[in-house]
Amino acid sequence: MTIKPLIILPDPLLRQVSVPIETVNAELLKLADDMLETMYDAPGIGLAAIQIGVPKRMLVIDVSREDEEKNPQVFINPEIVKSSDDLSLYEEGCLSIPDYYAEVERPATIAVKYVGRDGKEHMVEADGLLATCLQHEMDHLNGVLFIDHISRLKREMVIKKFTKLAKGKAV
Ligand SMILES: [Zn+2]
């Protein structure tokens, strides 16, 4: 397993729409392992492939608490098939937007269809943190970031700050 460099705002890759995965093979599973390694190292609770520069529809999540056993989950070609009308509010952050947090409202419960590491189709009903995390990561597959769900003013401030930071690094 290898820890990969993270793609950081305002890298245009983060706005790219990821492509569906056709086959679950050893190469893809290695990518999933690298993503998990990178996520645990950060540390974070979710990571989409595009965040390490690979525009494929795959994400990894582990929302287990510190006092629980690790629970790495891999979602390939995930799709929301049902979402609740009731919403829940969570303070979100993103490994591609380090040290910035904001409250985002999303459907509280969702049903997601996906392909697992076994190459088979699965369905999961998620609520709580898992529901929020899945929606945040699935947004990444469509080039959407959590700051797209906050006010325009706040979003522009964040983008400006990270653009400045990136320029500083390039000099
Ligand atoms: Zn993110």
Side-chain angles (χ1 to χ4, degrees), residues 51 93-96 136-137 140 146:
Q51 290 180 276
C94 180
L95 295 179
S96 296
H136 174 120
E137 300 309 331
H140 275 300
F146 84 99

Side-chain angles (χ1 to χ4, degrees), residues 91-130:
E91 183 168 78
E92 297 189 21
C94 180
L95 295 179
S96 296
I97 313 173
D99 302 319
Y100 181 77
Y101 304 90
E103 284 190 328
V104 177
E105 212 170 26
R106 301 181 187 268
T109 314
I110 52 167
V112 174
K113 190 177 83 172
Y114 67 99
V115 173
R117 350 177 26 125
D118 57 3
K120 291 182 186 145
E121 204 168 273
H122 298 265
M123 182 87 101
V124 64
E125 285 240 10
D127 60 9
L129 185 57
L130 180 60

